[in-house]
């Protein structure tokens, strides 16, 4: 009933400066300030740039992704968000110009995602709702462009495996955590 999605990555994951999502789409929610307040958040806000951005009202691509997921569920299954009590909770753990080494397991942004997942599970339990992790969105920038294909492939596979292992341990779910990314030119 509460499904957590972590958005992580390099510069492109921050999105453009300026609000696109000015009003909450569907009933999607997020934690305020992303990694800048990585403790254990105790509440969430409507998922808008003003409420949940990483500063300067940046528009993370995860906002549109959450809206698209809700629209797709309604389109394919005829299930609208108003007839169900599930919500999508998105977080931003992104930083421009960070290398893969700065985003891997054990680093502050990775740790923030785990703290947020644990907080979301706790909030769900307090609200009497079930909890799951729906996925990790990886948006790359160009911080590792000179490192080479082999290095990047090794790092991205390790990151996907680490998130899968650690987020499953927090959520208690048996289902693997999708690691959603894309290919750039």
């Amino acid at each position: 009933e509460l499904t957590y999605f972590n958005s992580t990555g390099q510069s492109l994951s921050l999105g453009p400066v300026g609000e696109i999502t000015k009003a909450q789409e569907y009933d999607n929610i997020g934690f305020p300030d992303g990694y800048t307040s990585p403790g254990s958040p105790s509440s969430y806000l409507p998922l808008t740039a003003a409420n949940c951005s990483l500063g300067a009202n940046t528009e993370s691509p995860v906002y549109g992704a959450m809206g698209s997921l809700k629209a797709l569920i309604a389109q394919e299954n005829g299930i609208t968000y108003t007839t169900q009590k599930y919500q999508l909770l998105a977080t931003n753990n992104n930083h421009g110009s960070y290398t893969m080494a700065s985003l891997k397991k054990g680093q502050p942004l990775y740790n923030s995602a785990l703290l947020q997942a644990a907080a979301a599970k706790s909030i769900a339990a307090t609200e009497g709702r079930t909890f799951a992790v729906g996925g990790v969105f990886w948006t790359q920038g160009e911080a590792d462009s000179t490192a080479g294909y082999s290095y990047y492939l090794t790092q991205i596979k390790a990151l996907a495996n680490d998130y899968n292992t650690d987020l499953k341990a927090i959520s208690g779910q048996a289902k693997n955590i999708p690691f959603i990314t894309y290919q750039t030119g």
Side-chain angles (χ1 to χ4, degrees), residues 67-83:
S68 294
L69 283 172
K70 286 282 186 153
L72 188 62
I73 290 167
Q75 178 186 2
E76 289 186 353
N77 302 301
I79 302 171
T80 64
Y81 78 99
T82 57
T83 61

Side-chain angles (χ1 to χ4, degrees), residues 104-182:
K104 68 182 184 179
K105 182 174 180 161
Q107 297 301 312
L109 294 181
Y110 185 96
N111 294 342
S112 178
L114 301 184
L115 288 170
Q116 292 165 346
K121 182 178 181 181
S122 177
I123 290 169
T126 299
E127 295 176 345
R129 300 200 282 174
T130 59
F131 175 77
V133 176
V136 174
F137 289 93
W138 167 260
T139 308
Q140 94 158 50
E142 57 281 338
D144 292 296
S145 63
T146 60
Y149 175 78
S150 179
Y151 169 82
Y152 188 83
L153 182 61
T154 300
Q155 295 300 308
I156 200 79
K157 284 182 176 180
L159 191 62
N161 286 329
D162 288 340
Y163 270 121
N164 185 55
T165 300
D166 293 343
L167 290 172
K168 282 171 63 175
I170 290 168
S171 68
Q173 69 195 60
K175 181 180 174 188
N176 284 332
I177 310 297
F179 190 85
I180 303 162
T181 189
Y182 64 99

Side-chain angles (χ1 to χ4, degrees), residues 2-26:
L2 183 62
T3 304
Y4 170 84
F5 286 88
N6 176 44
S7 174
T8 189
Q10 299 163 324
S11 57
L12 296 176
S13 62
L14 296 172
V17 173
E19 294 178 275
I20 297 171
T21 307
K22 294 182 179 184
Q24 182 182 32
E25 291 186 316
Y26 305 96

Side-chain angles (χ1 to χ4, degrees), residues 28-67:
N28 297 327
I29 52 178
F31 287 134
D33 302 324
Y35 70 86
T36 59
S37 56
S40 292
S42 59
S43 64
Y44 47 78
L45 296 170
L47 186 63
T48 65
N51 287 337
C52 303
S53 73
L54 296 175
N57 287 337
T58 55
E59 178 77 21
S60 173
V62 76
Y63 301 172
M66 296 299 95

